């Protein structure tokens, strides 16, 4: 069977470009085929044997009537024990301390969909996606900016003096790529072209795992690494289980029009990769080793009923006392940032 062209209405394309989600990603519980891809079937059997540990919510941010969040999209642990949240509707970067108190913000009349891209000392790097610029903010003031190549969906990551860039399309007419950026914003080397036919497979943020730039995939349980000599290496996440795996297979074989979203975020710490595994109404985080094998799972308590539950992004940090905490940006049920702690029955080693 020929797979239909991945086509969405303009409103959904805009949402995908600006917010990283499409409306077809969240219909949990619909009637569907029970068939899985062979790799997904294996992963489901592996996941069933992994005990579930506990995620404890430490706090949820409180909004004020004057400065409520509307659509937080990116979240990062920053310098000075602070948490930064980029809101693409308020066009601001909100700043919180580790106790959940809002302690500042970065506001610019030029912001048009700001996404956090990294930190350079105490300078915050922001991808101003609507204007195709990477901007630097120090103590809330813009001190530098550089233009980046334009594309339907762009991602930028700064890490230890290096800039990385990814662009993906909203259909199969655009040639996506992952590449290092030069300091002037031009495409540099190494680089890797992305498949036009499977453009949807590459939608997702850029992160680092050690010294390797990592391209996330929201629609399949894989991550890609940019090679030092160009091209991509793919790591399959074995043990990834999701209620959406049946719909994922249905899309691949041509029985569904849009791919379901499996994960909006992942972040690496030491030798572990933590993946935000979407559920309807509760939070689940999987831990994978460097070979992509599931090691541990942690969840918050399951609700008595399903509800809109839209975590948008995640960051992780290990505290000096060994505790592991996660900052999660939510759009629904309440626009907020929340801090969680993994209550470990077994120690998560480096």
């Amino acid at each position: 069977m020929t797979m239909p062209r991945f086509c969405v209405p303009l409103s959904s394309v805009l949402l995908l470009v600006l917010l990283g989600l499409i409306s077809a990603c969240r219909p949990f519980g619909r009637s569907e085929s029970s068939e899985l891809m062979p790799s997904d079937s294996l992963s489901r059997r592996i996941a069933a044997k992994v005990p579930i540990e506990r995620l404890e919510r430490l706090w949820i941010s409180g909004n004020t009537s004057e400065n409520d969040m509307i659509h937080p999209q990116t979240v990062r642990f920053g310098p000075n024990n602070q948490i930064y949240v980029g809101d693409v509707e308020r066009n601001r970067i909100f700043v919180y301390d580790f106790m959940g108190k809002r302690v500042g913000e970065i506001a610019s009349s030029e912001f048009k969909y700001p996404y956090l891209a990294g930190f350079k000392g105490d300078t915050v790097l922001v991808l101003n996606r609507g204007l195709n610029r990477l901007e630097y903010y120090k103590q809330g003031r813009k001190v530098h900016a550089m233009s980046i190549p334009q594309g339907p969906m762009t991602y930028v990551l700064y890490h230890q003096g290096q800039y990385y860039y990814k662009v993906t399309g909203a259909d199969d007419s655009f040639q996506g790529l992952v590449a290092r950026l030069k300091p002037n914003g031009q495409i540099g080397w190494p680089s890797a072209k992305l498949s036009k036919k499977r453009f949807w497979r590459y939608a997702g943020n850029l992160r680092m795992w050690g010294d390797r730039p990592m391209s996330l995939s929201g629609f399949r349980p894989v991550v890609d690494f940019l090679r030092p000599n160009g091209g991509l290496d793919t790591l399959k996440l074995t043990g990834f289980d999701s209620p959406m795996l049946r719909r994922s297979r249905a899309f691949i074989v041509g029985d569904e029009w849009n791919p379901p979203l499996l994960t909006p975020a992942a972040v690496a710490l030491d030798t572990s990769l933590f993946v935000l595994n979407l559920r309807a109404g509760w939070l689940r985080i999987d831990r994978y080793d460097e070979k992509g094998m599931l090691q541990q799972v942690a969840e918050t308590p399951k609700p008595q009923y399903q509800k809109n539950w839209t975590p948008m992004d995640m960051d992780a940090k290990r505290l000096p006392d060994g505790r592991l905490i996660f900052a999660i940006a939510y759009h629904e049920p309440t626009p907020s940032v929340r801090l969680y702690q993994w209550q470990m029955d077994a120690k998560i080693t480096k």
Side-chain angles (χ1 to χ4, degrees), residues 113-125:
Y113 317 122
Y115 286 70
L116 292 162
F119 300 90
K120 188 175 184 180
D122 60 355
T123 300
V124 186
L125 276 67

Side-chain angles (χ1 to χ4, degrees), residues 298-314:
E299 293 183 348
T300 56
K302 296 178 176 63
Q304 294 182 345
Y305 59 93
Q306 292 184 350
K307 57 184 177 180
N308 288 342
W309 191 258
T310 317
M312 306 300 293
D313 196 22
M314 173 178 74

